Amino acid sequence: EASVESFIHAIAAAETFQQLPAAIIAEWPTLSAESFNRLHSAIEGPEREPDWVAAVARVFERIEEHGVMDVESQPAEFRGGTRIQVLNPAADEPRTWDVAQVARTALVNDTGPLAAMLTQELPSSEVADGLFSLLAARLEKIPATLTYEKAATEVARQTARASVPVETDVYKPGELLVPQDQPITTEQIALLHKEHERFLAQRGPVDRIGRAVGLTGLVVALYALAGYYVVRFERRLANSLIRLVLLAALVLGTLLAAQLAHTFGWLHAEIVPMALTAMTLALAYSQQFALLITFGMGLLYAWMFGTGVSDFVVLTGGTAAAVLALTRVRSRTKLAAVGATAGLTYLGLTLTTGLLASQPLRMVISDGFIRFCLGLLSGVVMGGLFLPGLEKLFGIVTDISLLELSDVTHPLLQELMHKAPGTYNHSVSVATLAEAAAEQIGGNALVVRVGSYFHDIGKMLKPHYFVENQADSINRHNALNPALSTLIIIGHVKDGVDLAHQHHLPEPITDLIEQHHGTTLVEYFYREAARESEDDWEKEADVEEAAFRYPGPKPQNKEACVVMLADAVESASRTLSEPTPGRIEGLVHELTLKRLLDGQFDECGITFEEIGRIKDSLIKSLNAIYHGRVKYPEPRTA
């Protein structure tokens, strides 16, 4: 006879739900007398045996019908539901159950549906509790019978959505839409937008045309002003179709990014593209131009999205603060500081406009904090991600790039140092003179210094034809005619530009190389050619002067003008046998006046006052270089 333990073992050996009732029935006749008596008394007599077995079978039939699912292993989108629909190929229609009826964790819980069904079906709580303990352990091992179907679920969801009728709220004229002095919810904002759209739709054609003409005229006038500014003050942009296309693409991309931020409901996210574009234009061109474009983009944004004057003031004011703070970028942290300045301005303007509009203080502070964070983020993104790419795309030269170029380990400077040491020392001296002079007129002293380092790199290709490199006192021009010597001298400018392009020097440095001689006359060889042509000075005009002039162009900015003068006076000062302050002053004055009368400063926009400041700075610097020294007495010998 089998014991109760063997009976339990047989039930535990069942591998499916269908086998569990059969195991109970199969083991029932082989129970020992003692076990039989215990179960007999529990079910109140042997005549109840069929009912007992049938009751247990019904419990398992219901479990099999519902199925079992491991809810914890399902996707997150499923775990939030409370009811499921079971698609059984053997059934005619899908059935719907509570998740608690099929979850394995619920079935093995002593307060779950399995325990409740056993208690309901079996007359004895002792038998119900014993069987539940046995079956709960077994249920944890039997594989789940239900699997989650994502595709079918999505179809069912779409069908359910389509079956729900659309409900609309009707508002009568004069009915209150949003209460005063209360925070506006997302639904209320959508309602206000609907009301505004309906208002615009009810206007007559004359009003619509008038509004469109007015707004279009305002935008056209503003950007016509920007176009005039470009033609008048940004010739580099006006003369380049590629730059104009890049500018248009940048503005349109900024507005598109603002549109996306508005569409997706990213609160105040339009600040980031607006600030990035404004800082880009300030670095690439000028602060004034960046402010003009910023004002235009802010106006377009307000027109596109119907924002109020307060938002327009905050957006343009904070962006303008970023532009005005963007002066010299000598480190990446400078841009982070610019972003913090913009963020603080956004915060201050948000608080001011919010309080003036009597908005709730909590909402005003929240908006201000968000705008502050976005402004700071703009500066960080500009310095860490955008700046390197923008330098190449727009030809922007920041102080960071210039400081890298000023390193004497640059390949071009190293090559110049070894091939033409005299020219290298001359370039360093010119850089010292020019930098100090540029500071006196508010020019970009760093561009001037770095440009001076590279302005004569073309001489390294024929170094011995330039006097500063003729250490052996042999003048190679003695064997050449003046015209050929002039071609060699003039050629160092073109060679320098070619080397600059090969080494990818930025455009402002290349411009200084090309313009630092302008169209000046190579006077020495011009006089020599005239002397060879005719020994008579009065007939020297027979020699064509244009053939002895540098090809230019003339200096196009004040920085190039400074380098031109510094280069000239540094070279000429070495010819002074006694460089007294008076002689230095006369030399600087003579060279400056000669280039002024020659028209070399006609295209750089420099004033007479600034020329005077440059002269004074050069005189001061040369006097410091050639200052007198006390002669020490020679030691006496016994």
Side-chain angles (χ1 to χ4, degrees), residues 572-591:
S573 66
R574 295 176 181 269
T575 65
L576 296 175
S577 56
E578 293 184 13
T580 62
R583 291 185 176 182
I584 290 174
E585 183 177 354
L587 177 68
V588 173
H589 177 75
E590 178 186 356
L591 293 174

Side-chain angles (χ1 to χ4, degrees), residues 340-492:
T341 301
L344 290 174
T345 307
Y346 287 129
L347 174 60
L349 291 175
T350 301
L351 294 176
T352 302
T353 55
L355 293 176
L356 286 175
S358 301
Q359 295 179 353
L361 183 60
R362 180 179 59 83
M363 184 175 68
V364 171
I365 294 176
S366 175
D367 285 352
F369 178 74
I370 292 174
R371 283 170 169 156
F372 168 78
C373 293
L374 291 172
L376 180 61
L377 177 64
S378 300
V380 173
V381 170
M382 186 71 182
L385 298 178
F386 275 46
L387 189 59
L390 291 174
E391 287 181 327
K392 295 181 180 180
L393 184 63
F394 286 91
I396 299 172
V397 182
T398 63
D399 288 357
I400 300 174
S401 302
L402 292 175
L403 289 172
E404 293 173 352
L405 288 174
S406 67
D407 190 349
V408 295
T409 61
H410 191 281
L412 269 178
L413 296 181
Q414 285 290 305
E415 190 174 359
L416 180 65
M417 186 187 304
H418 290 96
K419 291 184 176 180
T423 300
Y424 175 79
N425 290 326
H426 160 71
S427 299
V428 173
S429 299
V430 171
T432 303
L433 298 175
E435 183 178 21
E439 290 176 350
Q440 295 300 314
I441 62 171
N444 193 328
L446 188 56
V447 168
V448 168
R449 173 159 68 90
V450 177
S452 298
Y453 286 155
F454 292 92
H455 80 286
D456 273 345
I457 55 175
K459 292 182 178 181
M460 72 172 70
L461 300 184
K462 299 180 180 68
H464 298 296
Y465 286 92
F466 298 90
V467 65
E468 66 266 22
N469 300 310
Q470 295 173 355
D472 52 6
S473 299
I474 298 176
N475 190 345
R476 302 195 179 197
H477 291 285
N478 293 336
L480 303 175
N481 64 57
L484 184 57
S485 295
T486 300
L487 290 177
I488 295 175
I489 297 298
I490 291 176
H492 86 274

Side-chain angles (χ1 to χ4, degrees), residues 82-214:
T82 58
R83 294 178 65 80
I84 63 171
Q85 192 178 63
V86 179
L87 303 177
N88 189 345
D92 296 333
E93 295 181 357
R95 298 183 179 182
T96 303
W97 314 115
D98 291 335
V99 174
Q101 292 178 284
V102 299
R104 189 191 299 272
T105 54
L107 290 174
V108 299
N109 193 307
D110 56 3
T111 60
L114 176 60
M117 285 188 291
L118 289 172
T119 303
Q120 180 182 359
E121 293 288 348
L122 300 177
S124 170
S125 60
E126 179 184 358
V127 174
D129 293 341
L131 281 176
F132 174 76
S133 300
L134 173 67
L135 296 175
R138 185 59 185 157
L139 278 174
E140 294 179 350
K141 300 179 182 179
I142 294 178
T145 61
L146 297 178
T147 58
Y148 175 62
E149 293 291 339
K150 183 176 181 180
T153 300
E154 186 61 29
V155 171
R157 285 175 177 169
Q158 297 298 335
T159 303
R161 290 192 186 102
S163 64
V164 177
V166 178
E167 296 184 2
T168 57
D169 296 328
V170 179
Y171 294 89
K172 298 179 180 179
E175 188 174 349
L176 182 65
L177 298 180
V178 179
Q180 187 177 2
D181 298 329
Q182 295 292 329
I184 300 178
T185 64
T186 305
E187 292 78 8
Q188 290 173 330
I189 291 178
L191 178 62
L192 292 175
H193 278 296
K194 289 290 185 183
E195 190 274 338
H196 182 65
E197 292 173 1
R198 180 56 61 90
F199 168 75
L200 295 178
Q202 290 178 348
R203 293 183 309 161
V206 177
D207 292 339
R208 294 183 185 180
I209 294 174
R211 177 179 172 82
V213 170

Side-chain angles (χ1 to χ4, degrees), residues 149-368:
E149 293 291 339
K150 183 176 181 180
T153 300
E154 186 61 29
V155 171
R157 285 175 177 169
Q158 297 298 335
T159 303
R161 290 192 186 102
S163 64
V164 177
V166 178
E167 296 184 2
T168 57
D169 296 328
V170 179
Y171 294 89
K172 298 179 180 179
E175 188 174 349
L176 182 65
L177 298 180
V178 179
Q180 187 177 2
D181 298 329
Q182 295 292 329
I184 300 178
T185 64
T186 305
E187 292 78 8
Q188 290 173 330
I189 291 178
L191 178 62
L192 292 175
H193 278 296
K194 289 290 185 183
E195 190 274 338
H196 182 65
E197 292 173 1
R198 180 56 61 90
F199 168 75
L200 295 178
Q202 290 178 348
R203 293 183 309 161
V206 177
D207 292 339
R208 294 183 185 180
I209 294 174
R211 177 179 172 82
V213 170
L215 290 174
T216 303
L218 183 62
V219 174
V220 169
L222 182 62
Y223 280 90
L225 178 62
Y228 171 78
Y229 181 90
V230 168
V231 174
R232 179 69 176 83
F233 299 104
E234 295 291 345
R235 298 177 184 174
R236 190 170 46 136
L237 177 59
N239 296 330
S240 174
L241 179 61
I242 295 178
R243 289 180 179 272
L244 289 173
V245 172
L246 283 175
L247 175 62
L250 185 62
V251 172
L252 292 176
T254 302
L255 295 175
L256 178 60
Q259 172 72 61
L260 293 175
H262 185 80
T263 302
F264 288 105
W266 298 334
L267 192 61
H268 308 312
E270 69 278 356
I271 284 175
V272 176
M274 290 279 286
L276 290 176
T277 299
M279 288 189 284
T280 298
L281 295 177
L283 288 171
Y285 301 108
S286 66
Q287 292 175 314
Q288 296 85 349
F289 183 58
L291 289 174
L292 185 61
I293 297 298
T294 296
F295 184 80
M297 289 191 300
L299 183 63
L300 284 177
Y301 178 82
W303 177 27
M304 289 166 58
F305 307 116
T307 57
V309 176
S310 297
D311 285 347
F312 172 76
V313 170
V314 173
L315 183 60
T316 55
T319 307
V323 171
L324 295 175
L326 199 61
T327 51
R328 292 284 186 265
V329 183
R330 289 180 175 258
S331 64
R332 306 287 178 186
T333 56
K334 170 68 175 180
L335 290 168
V338 170
T341 301
L344 290 174
T345 307
Y346 287 129
L347 174 60
L349 291 175
T350 301
L351 294 176
T352 302
T353 55
L355 293 176
L356 286 175
S358 301
Q359 295 179 353
L361 183 60
R362 180 179 59 83
M363 184 175 68
V364 171
I365 294 176
S366 175
D367 285 352

